[in-house]
Amino acid sequence: MSRFVYADHAATTALSDTALNAMLPYLKEEYGNPSSLYRFAGRAKAALEQARADVAACLNAKPEEIYFTSGGTESDNWALRGVAELRGKKGKHIITSAIEHHAVLHTAQYLEKQGFEVTYLPVDAQGRVSPADVEAALRPDTILVSIMAANNEIGTIQPIGEIGAIARRAGVLFHTDAVQAVGHIPVDVEAWNVDLLSLSGHKFHGPKGVGVLYMRKPLRLPPLIHGGGQEKGRRSGTENVAGAVGLAAALKEAAAGLETEAPRLCALRDRLIDGLLQIPKSRLTGPRDGRLPGSASFVFECIEGESILLRLDNAGICSSSGSACSSASLDPSHVLLAIGLPHEIAHGSVRLTLGRENTDADVDYLLETVPKVVAGLREMSPLWEG
Ligand SMILES: *Cc1c(COP(=O)(O)O)cnc(C)c1O
């Protein structure tokens, strides 16, 4: 079995050649510290500022609204904890959803321990947050609404523009974790009415360990990371120049290719979904339409997602089961429970996320392999009655 199919693009993506080549000078000869005053370091500083301008242009933001961080997790932490610190005297109520990434959920739980009150909005069977629910949950003491733009497990794209408009009208700050959206669907901070937006380089073929928090002017969150005062005093630490340059190059490349790549991936994804739904007692998780271009996610009754994953790995296929992020626990994914799946069915979840290097031949191989693996495991399952 020599075939290798990487179908876990929601977990991470390969660094693109464009991003790597843009980074190389800043990993080698252009190693100056952007804060130093000589011209040699000025070139690193200029590259960092060009990266900031390029990221801003891709989001319809201003360069001064872009802050580089260590990734999506830090950006999410900063957004929630920053607003809590900034507005905590005005109110202690935060609205988020039940299907957020743990970077948001665990930060919200941390804030609950600090005396904040958090409403976790439910979602419908497709994983959608209703804008009317957001509106109904608003209170005079609400200081923040945080709803992810697209879900990492089931691909659901949220009505972010509508939710943002509701928050804006109520004078409440709005954050979106757009880590799965940026580089994959059009993102526009104006159209979306967002005040804060998180993104991460490695989810769109940039490097790992670098992300961005977009902060709408004149909003100025207090820093999460204290120190030498980099990023206008908001995020200290010597700048990851190569990382920022690589993130910006990858984002520009993804944005430029979006118009052709998104429909190509949608076609591959739909063929994969149609094919795998032929498997008896299988269902799609998340919506049929209104999902991320490369995202296909399923539950197969009477088997464990982890055992499918291991067999697929033996066949050269990289996949994920919904519970990958909490593999230490036996609980099924909070997302699958939130869309109303019973525990025993949620255990049989498999996520296949396609991306730039996947081809029609990869989908053929998935369509040939996954049904065999599912049938093989079911034969061994005491729960399966054919
Ligand atoms: C991957 C991911 C994150 C975390 O980003 P890192 O850069 O890996 O810290 C946050 N939110 C979502 C939705 C993600 O998919």
Side-chain angles (χ1 to χ4, degrees), residues 165-347:
I166 289 167
R168 175 76 43 87
R169 251 184 275 126
V172 172
L173 291 173
F174 179 44
H175 166 249
T176 188
D177 173 341
V179 173
Q180 289 290 333
V182 171
H184 303 282
I185 59 172
V187 171
D188 180 324
V189 294
E190 293 304 326
W192 279 9
N193 297 300
V194 297
D195 299 298
L196 295 154
L197 178 147
S198 305
L199 63 88
S200 173
H202 75 101
K203 301 292 176 78
F204 50 80
H205 301 278
K208 293 171 181 61
V210 60
V212 160
L213 182 64
Y214 157 82
M215 210 185 283
R216 178 180 295 276
K217 274 177 85 174
L219 176 62
R220 300 182 83 204
L221 293 189
L224 182 68
I225 308 286
H226 301 270
Q230 289 87 349
E231 299 287 286
K232 286 179 271 143
R234 311 265 130 208
R235 202 287 182 182
S236 289
T238 301
E239 298 89 337
N240 179 0
V241 177
V245 166
L247 181 150
L251 182 53
K252 269 170 62 177
E253 186 180 28
L258 199 58
E259 240 179 89
T260 49
E261 182 64 356
R264 187 188 77 87
L265 282 178
C266 285
L268 289 180
R269 172 201 72 190
D270 288 344
R271 197 158 73 80
L272 182 61
I273 290 174
D274 290 338
L276 294 187
L277 288 181
Q278 304 291 313
I279 297 174
K281 305 238 167 159
S282 62
R283 40 180 134 161
L284 183 69
T285 55
R288 190 61 231 234
D289 301 309
R291 66 186 298 138
L292 287 169
S295 166
S297 53
F298 307 87
V299 281
F300 302 105
E301 288 182 32
C302 303
I303 34 181
E304 290 287 328
E306 278 81 0
S307 39
I308 305 176
L309 184 150
L310 295 176
R311 294 254 178 136
L312 290 179
D313 186 26
N314 285 335
I317 294 168
C318 301
S319 68
S320 155
S321 80
S323 45
C325 291
S326 48
S327 50
S329 81
L330 289 171
D331 291 335
S333 132
H334 64 287
V335 177
L336 298 179
L337 297 179
I339 60 172
L341 290 180
H343 268 251
E344 64 280 9
I345 290 178
H347 273 297

